[in-house]
Amino acid sequence: MIVKKNSEEILREHRYNLGESKELPVLKFAAFERIPWVNHCFTTRDGGVSKGMFQSLNLSYTRGDNSEDVTENYRRVAQAMGTGLDRIVTSDQTHTTNVRVVTDADAGKGIVCPRDYSDVDGLITNQPNLLLATFYADCVPLYFIDTKNHAIGLSHSGWRGTVNRMGEQTLKKMQYAFGTKPENVLCGIGPSICQDCYEVSEDVAEQFAEEFREFQDEILEKKENKKYQLNLWRANQLVLIQAGVPEGNIATTNICTCCNPKKLFSHRASAGKRGNLGAFLMIRSEEEE
Protein backbone atom coordinates (compact mmCIF):
# COMPACT_ATOMS: atom_id res chain seq x y z
CA MET A 1 0.00 0.00 0.00
CA ILE A 2 1.38 3.40 -1.00
CA VAL A 3 1.85 5.96 1.74
CA LYS A 4 2.64 9.62 1.22
CA LYS A 5 5.05 9.94 4.11
CA ASN A 6 6.97 7.54 6.29
CA SER A 7 8.19 9.80 9.10
CA GLU A 8 5.90 8.12 11.63
CA GLU A 9 3.48 5.27 11.91
CA ILE A 10 0.14 7.06 11.64
CA LEU A 11 -2.04 4.27 10.28
CA ARG A 12 -1.22 0.61 10.45
CA GLU A 13 -2.87 -2.58 9.30
CA HIS A 14 -4.53 -4.85 11.83
CA ARG A 15 -5.92 -8.27 10.98
CA TYR A 16 -8.89 -9.77 12.79
CA ASN A 17 -9.19 -13.55 12.86
CA LEU A 18 -12.91 -14.26 12.40
CA GLY A 19 -12.59 -18.04 12.54
CA GLU A 20 -13.25 -20.64 9.82
CA SER A 21 -10.21 -19.36 7.90
CA LYS A 22 -11.76 -15.88 7.64
CA GLU A 23 -9.61 -12.83 8.20
CA LEU A 24 -10.54 -9.15 8.11
CA PRO A 25 -7.72 -6.65 7.45
CA VAL A 26 -8.48 -3.09 8.53
CA LEU A 27 -6.56 0.14 9.10
CA LYS A 28 -6.24 1.68 12.57
CA PHE A 29 -4.81 4.90 13.97
CA ALA A 30 -1.91 4.06 16.24
CA ALA A 31 -2.85 6.92 18.57
CA PHE A 32 -6.39 5.62 19.04
CA GLU A 33 -5.27 2.14 19.99
CA ARG A 34 -3.94 3.52 23.25
CA ILE A 35 -7.48 4.46 24.36
CA PRO A 36 -8.97 1.39 26.05
CA TRP A 37 -12.64 2.43 25.95
CA VAL A 38 -12.95 2.89 22.17
CA ASN A 39 -12.71 0.58 19.19
CA HIS A 40 -12.31 1.82 15.64
CA CYS A 41 -11.24 0.90 12.14
CA PHE A 42 -11.20 1.91 8.50
CA THR A 43 -11.93 -0.96 6.12
CA THR A 44 -10.08 -2.00 3.00
CA ARG A 45 -11.36 -3.88 -0.05
CA ASP A 46 -10.22 -7.18 1.47
CA GLY A 47 -11.94 -9.68 3.74
CA GLY A 48 -15.47 -9.73 2.32
CA VAL A 49 -17.64 -11.77 -0.05
CA SER A 50 -18.70 -9.31 -2.76
CA LYS A 51 -17.73 -10.04 -6.36
CA GLY A 52 -16.71 -8.27 -9.54
CA MET A 53 -16.05 -4.55 -9.26
CA PHE A 54 -17.29 -4.73 -5.64
CA GLN A 55 -14.63 -7.25 -4.58
CA SER A 56 -14.62 -7.95 -1.77
CA LEU A 57 -15.67 -5.91 1.29
CA ASN A 58 -18.18 -3.53 -0.27
CA LEU A 59 -20.38 -1.71 2.24
CA SER A 60 -22.86 -0.05 -0.14
CA TYR A 61 -26.39 -1.37 -0.68
CA THR A 62 -27.11 1.21 -3.39
CA ARG A 63 -24.50 0.66 -6.10
CA GLY A 64 -25.78 -2.63 -7.53
CA ASP A 65 -24.14 -5.24 -5.31
CA ASN A 66 -25.98 -8.29 -3.97
CA SER A 67 -27.63 -7.16 -0.72
CA GLU A 68 -26.98 -10.49 1.03
CA ASP A 69 -23.27 -10.15 0.28
CA VAL A 70 -23.24 -6.58 1.62
CA THR A 71 -24.97 -7.71 4.81
CA GLU A 72 -22.39 -10.46 5.27
CA ASN A 73 -19.65 -7.88 4.85
CA TYR A 74 -21.22 -5.77 7.59
CA ARG A 75 -21.56 -8.84 9.79
CA ARG A 76 -17.83 -9.45 9.52
CA VAL A 77 -16.99 -5.86 10.45
CA ALA A 78 -19.39 -5.98 13.39
CA GLN A 79 -17.84 -9.24 14.58
CA ALA A 80 -14.37 -7.73 14.36
CA MET A 81 -15.52 -4.69 16.36
CA GLY A 82 -17.05 -6.95 19.02
CA THR A 83 -20.72 -6.31 18.35
CA GLY A 84 -23.62 -7.28 16.08
CA LEU A 85 -25.46 -5.98 13.03
CA ASP A 86 -28.26 -4.69 15.24
CA ARG A 87 -25.85 -2.25 16.95
CA ILE A 88 -24.58 -0.50 13.82
CA VAL A 89 -25.88 3.03 13.10
CA THR A 90 -25.31 4.37 9.58
CA SER A 91 -25.18 7.85 8.09
CA ASP A 92 -27.25 9.06 5.12
CA GLN A 93 -24.60 11.07 3.31
CA THR A 94 -25.53 13.88 0.94
CA HIS A 95 -22.52 16.20 1.43
CA THR A 96 -24.17 18.26 4.16
CA THR A 97 -22.74 19.38 7.49
CA ASN A 98 -25.70 17.88 9.39
CA VAL A 99 -24.71 15.92 12.50
CA ARG A 100 -27.08 13.60 14.38
CA VAL A 101 -26.91 12.60 18.04
CA VAL A 102 -27.58 8.85 18.05
CA THR A 103 -28.84 6.71 20.93
CA ASP A 104 -29.92 3.13 21.53
CA ALA A 105 -33.15 3.98 19.68
CA ASP A 106 -31.06 4.27 16.48
CA ALA A 107 -29.34 0.88 16.81
CA GLY A 108 -29.44 -1.10 13.59
CA LYS A 109 -30.70 1.73 11.39
CA GLY A 110 -29.54 1.36 7.82
CA ILE A 111 -28.70 -2.33 8.33
CA VAL A 112 -31.47 -4.34 10.02
CA CYS A 113 -34.13 -1.60 9.94
CA PRO A 114 -34.71 1.54 7.84
CA ARG A 115 -33.31 4.93 8.77
CA ASP A 116 -35.98 7.42 9.82
CA TYR A 117 -33.63 10.33 9.05
CA SER A 118 -31.94 11.67 5.92
CA ASP A 119 -29.22 14.13 4.92
CA VAL A 120 -26.95 13.19 7.81
CA ASP A 121 -23.18 13.19 7.20
CA GLY A 122 -22.08 13.04 10.85
CA LEU A 123 -22.94 10.86 13.84
CA ILE A 124 -22.10 11.45 17.51
CA THR A 125 -22.88 9.51 20.69
CA ASN A 126 -21.88 8.95 24.30
CA GLN A 127 -23.61 5.57 24.57
CA PRO A 128 -21.60 2.34 24.63
CA ASN A 129 -21.84 -0.46 22.10
CA LEU A 130 -23.26 1.67 19.28
CA LEU A 131 -21.07 1.19 16.21
CA LEU A 132 -21.08 4.43 14.21
CA ALA A 133 -20.58 3.92 10.47
CA THR A 134 -19.86 6.36 7.64
CA PHE A 135 -18.79 5.61 4.06
CA TYR A 136 -16.07 6.56 1.58
CA ALA A 137 -14.48 6.18 -1.82
CA ASP A 138 -12.18 9.26 -1.82
CA CYS A 139 -13.85 11.70 0.61
CA VAL A 140 -12.39 12.35 4.05
CA PRO A 141 -13.41 10.42 7.19
CA LEU A 142 -13.14 12.45 10.39
CA TYR A 143 -12.90 10.69 13.77
CA PHE A 144 -13.51 12.45 17.11
CA ILE A 145 -12.82 11.09 20.60
CA ASP A 146 -13.68 13.25 23.63
CA THR A 147 -11.25 11.81 26.16
CA LYS A 148 -12.83 13.62 29.13
CA ASN A 149 -16.56 13.06 28.58
CA HIS A 150 -16.28 9.65 26.88
CA ALA A 151 -18.12 10.74 23.74
CA ILE A 152 -17.30 10.06 20.08
CA GLY A 153 -18.09 11.39 16.62
CA LEU A 154 -17.63 10.23 13.05
CA SER A 155 -18.18 12.52 10.06
CA HIS A 156 -17.97 12.42 6.27
CA SER A 157 -16.23 15.41 4.68
CA GLY A 158 -15.91 15.71 0.91
CA TRP A 159 -14.91 18.99 -0.67
CA ARG A 160 -18.30 20.53 0.15
CA GLY A 161 -18.17 19.34 3.74
CA THR A 162 -14.60 20.56 4.08
CA VAL A 163 -15.16 24.08 2.72
CA ASN A 164 -18.23 24.32 4.99
CA ARG A 165 -16.14 23.14 7.98
CA MET A 166 -17.72 19.80 8.82
CA GLY A 167 -15.08 19.19 11.49
CA GLU A 168 -16.03 22.37 13.31
CA GLN A 169 -19.73 21.61 13.01
CA THR A 170 -19.20 18.16 14.52
CA LEU A 171 -17.28 19.63 17.46
CA LYS A 172 -20.01 22.22 18.05
CA LYS A 173 -22.66 19.51 18.10
CA MET A 174 -20.58 17.46 20.55
CA GLN A 175 -20.12 20.50 22.76
CA TYR A 176 -23.88 21.15 22.81
CA ALA A 177 -24.78 17.49 23.42
CA PHE A 178 -22.00 16.33 25.75
CA GLY A 179 -20.10 19.38 26.98
CA THR A 180 -17.14 18.53 24.75
CA LYS A 181 -14.22 20.95 24.71
CA PRO A 182 -11.99 20.85 21.61
CA GLU A 183 -8.81 20.79 23.70
CA ASN A 184 -9.87 17.39 25.09
CA VAL A 185 -10.56 15.81 21.70
CA LEU A 186 -8.38 13.44 19.72
CA CYS A 187 -9.09 13.55 15.99
CA GLY A 188 -8.25 11.36 13.04
CA ILE A 189 -8.25 12.36 9.37
CA GLY A 190 -8.61 9.05 7.62
CA PRO A 191 -7.66 7.51 4.24
CA SER A 192 -8.90 9.63 1.35
CA ILE A 193 -7.73 11.20 -1.88
CA CYS A 194 -4.37 13.01 -1.72
CA GLN A 195 -3.50 16.37 -3.26
CA ASP A 196 -1.50 14.79 -6.09
CA CYS A 197 -4.60 12.88 -7.22
CA TYR A 198 -7.31 15.46 -6.56
CA GLU A 199 -7.76 17.92 -9.41
CA VAL A 200 -10.63 20.41 -9.01
CA SER A 201 -12.14 23.12 -11.14
CA GLU A 202 -11.49 26.83 -10.71
CA ASP A 203 -14.88 27.48 -9.10
CA VAL A 204 -14.19 24.91 -6.37
CA ALA A 205 -10.70 26.33 -5.82
CA GLU A 206 -12.15 29.83 -5.46
CA GLN A 207 -14.40 28.67 -2.63
CA PHE A 208 -11.41 27.24 -0.77
CA ALA A 209 -9.30 30.32 -1.44
CA GLU A 210 -12.03 32.46 0.07
CA GLU A 211 -12.65 30.23 3.10
CA PHE A 212 -8.96 29.57 3.83
CA ARG A 213 -7.63 32.91 2.64
CA GLU A 214 -4.48 32.98 4.79
CA PHE A 215 -3.61 29.36 4.02
CA GLN A 216 -4.60 28.95 0.36
CA ASP A 217 -0.98 28.33 -0.66
CA GLU A 218 -0.94 25.32 1.68
CA ILE A 219 -4.02 23.67 0.18
CA LEU A 220 -4.15 24.78 -3.48
CA GLU A 221 -1.65 24.27 -6.30
CA LYS A 222 -2.53 25.94 -9.60
CA LYS A 223 -1.94 24.02 -12.83
CA GLU A 224 -1.31 25.24 -16.37
CA ASN A 225 -4.77 24.02 -17.45
CA LYS A 226 -6.39 26.53 -15.05
CA LYS A 227 -7.36 23.75 -12.68
CA TYR A 228 -6.00 23.12 -9.20
CA GLN A 229 -4.71 20.31 -7.01
CA LEU A 230 -6.59 20.43 -3.68
CA ASN A 231 -5.19 19.19 -0.37
CA LEU A 232 -8.22 18.02 1.62
CA TRP A 233 -6.00 16.57 4.35
CA ARG A 234 -4.43 19.92 5.19
CA ALA A 235 -7.73 21.78 4.80
CA ASN A 236 -9.46 19.51 7.31
CA GLN A 237 -6.50 19.78 9.65
CA LEU A 238 -6.80 23.57 9.51
CA VAL A 239 -10.53 23.39 10.25
CA LEU A 240 -9.88 21.33 13.37
CA ILE A 241 -7.01 23.51 14.59
CA GLN A 242 -9.02 26.69 14.08
CA ALA A 243 -11.90 25.06 16.00
CA GLY A 244 -9.59 24.63 19.00
CA VAL A 245 -8.19 21.10 18.67
CA PRO A 246 -4.44 21.09 19.50
CA GLU A 247 -2.42 20.18 16.42
CA GLY A 248 -0.73 17.41 18.41
CA ASN A 249 -4.15 15.81 18.97
CA ILE A 250 -4.76 15.34 15.24
CA ALA A 251 -3.59 12.19 13.45
CA THR A 252 -3.53 13.03 9.73
CA THR A 253 -3.64 10.18 7.24
CA ASN A 254 -0.72 9.06 5.13
CA ILE A 255 -2.72 6.78 2.81
CA CYS A 256 -4.45 7.84 -0.42
CA THR A 257 -7.49 5.95 -1.72
CA CYS A 258 -6.82 6.92 -5.33
CA CYS A 259 -3.17 5.79 -5.20
CA ASN A 260 -4.26 2.36 -3.93
CA PRO A 261 -7.24 1.20 -6.04
CA LYS A 262 -6.42 -2.48 -5.56
CA LYS A 263 -6.61 -2.11 -1.78
CA LEU A 264 -9.13 0.73 -1.37
CA PHE A 265 -12.22 1.81 -3.29
CA SER A 266 -11.69 5.07 -5.17
CA HIS A 267 -14.39 6.84 -7.15
CA ARG A 268 -11.88 8.79 -9.18
CA ALA A 269 -9.54 5.90 -9.91
CA SER A 270 -12.41 3.60 -10.96
CA ALA A 271 -14.46 6.20 -12.87
CA GLY A 272 -17.33 5.49 -10.50
CA LYS A 273 -17.31 1.70 -10.84
CA ARG A 274 -16.72 0.79 -7.20
CA GLY A 275 -18.09 -0.09 -3.80
CA ASN A 276 -17.78 1.76 -0.51
CA LEU A 277 -15.23 1.65 2.29
CA GLY A 278 -16.34 2.24 5.85
CA ALA A 279 -15.14 4.19 8.88
CA PHE A 280 -16.29 2.69 12.19
CA LEU A 281 -16.07 4.00 15.75
CA MET A 282 -17.56 2.67 18.98
CA ILE A 283 -17.45 3.15 22.74
CA ARG A 284 -16.80 -0.24 24.28
CA SER A 285 -19.23 -1.58 26.84
CA GLU A 286 -18.13 -1.31 30.49
CA GLU A 287 -17.49 -5.06 30.60
CA GLU A 288 -14.88 -4.72 27.84
CA GLU A 289 -12.94 -1.80 29.29
Side-chain angles (χ1 to χ4, degrees):
M1 187 173 293
I2 299 171
V3 298
K4 290 295 177 182
K5 51 187 174 182
N6 298 305
S7 59
E8 58 182 321
E9 187 180 36
I10 300 168
L11 280 155
R12 59 188 177 199
E13 186 174 282
H14 178 90
R15 291 180 176 268
Y16 285 98
N17 184 348
L18 304 182
E20 300 178 2
S21 300
K22 298 173 185 175
E23 189 176 63
L24 182 69
V26 298
L27 298 172
K28 286 178 170 282
F29 285 100
F32 290 2
E33 291 190 276
R34 296 190 287 270
I35 305 173
W37 54 272
V38 297
N39 200 1
H40 81 289
C41 74
F42 188 84
T43 61
T44 72
R45 294 187 62 163
D46 298 330
V49 298
S50 294
K51 302 170 182 65
M53 69 180 186
F54 304 111
Q55 191 173 2
S56 67
L57 195 82
N58 168 45
L59 297 171
S60 173
Y61 285 106
T62 63
R63 303 193 68 84
D65 197 2
N66 180 286
S67 61
E68 293 182 356
D69 288 348
V70 178
T71 299
E72 171 60 18
N73 292 338
Y74 274 106
R75 190 196 66 77
R76 294 185 180 195
V77 175
Q79 181 184 348
M81 294 292 99
T83 191
L85 291 174
D86 60 347
R87 300 300 297 174
I88 300 174
V89 185
T90 66
S91 55
D92 181 58
Q93 296 169 194
T94 53
H95 297 279
T96 69
T97 56
N98 298 331
V99 179
R100 179 180 175 87
V101 181
V102 298
T103 67
D104 280 335
D106 297 301
K109 289 182 180 177
I111 306 295
V112 300
C113 59
R115 289 185 294 259
D116 55 0
Y117 50 87
S118 60
D119 303 315
V120 170
D121 282 74
L123 304 169
I124 63 174
T125 192
N126 64 350
Q127 298 193 9
N129 200 29
L130 278 177
L131 184 57
L132 307 184
T134 54
F135 310 102
Y136 305 90
D138 282 336
C139 291
V140 181
L142 300 176
Y143 296 74
F144 303 82
I145 301 174
D146 180 343
T147 59
K148 183 175 181 179
N149 294 294
H150 281 213
I152 57 173
L154 192 60
S155 290
H156 163 262
S157 188
W159 77 257
R160 291 178 180 85
T162 302
V163 80
N164 289 303
R165 298 182 176 268
M166 181 50 148
E168 181 180 1
Q169 296 304 316
T170 306
L171 288 164
K172 285 181 176 179
K173 191 80 171 194
M174 292 179 71
Q175 183 175 17
Y176 178 80
F178 312 126
T180 296
K181 294 182 179 181
E183 58 264 32
N184 297 323
V185 177
L186 294 182
C187 293
I189 298 172
S192 41
I193 195 166
C194 71
Q195 184 173 18
D196 291 344
C197 293
Y198 195 33
E199 182 184 83
V200 298
S201 60
E202 190 172 14
D203 63 316
V204 172
E206 287 175 352
Q207 293 182 56
F208 277 85
E210 177 65 24
E211 185 63 32
F212 299 91
R213 190 170 300 176
E214 297 179 13
F215 302 95
Q216 56 183 289
D217 291 343
E218 296 183 29
I219 62 175
L220 290 168
E221 181 182 335
K222 190 173 183 178
K223 303 178 66 178
E224 293 182 0
N225 62 1
K226 296 185 179 180
K227 294 191 177 182
Y228 292 77
Q229 298 299 131
L230 174 60
N231 189 337
L232 287 176
W233 299 350
R234 179 57 177 160
N236 276 283
Q237 189 182 54
L238 287 168
V239 168
L240 296 172
I241 292 170
Q242 292 170 0
V245 179
E247 186 169 0
N249 285 12
I250 304 169
T252 303
T253 189
N254 57 355
I255 296 175
C256 171
T257 46
C258 193
C259 288
N260 295 279
K262 292 184 179 180
K263 280 293 200 179
L264 303 169
F265 290 117
S266 168
H267 187 81
R268 189 156 291 208
S270 67
K273 297 179 180 180
R274 47 81 178 175
N276 273 356
L277 306 164
F280 294 87
L281 183 62
M282 182 178 72
I283 299 173
R284 299 178 187 270
S285 63
E286 293 181 1
E287 293 77 11
E288 292 180 293
E289 293 183 35

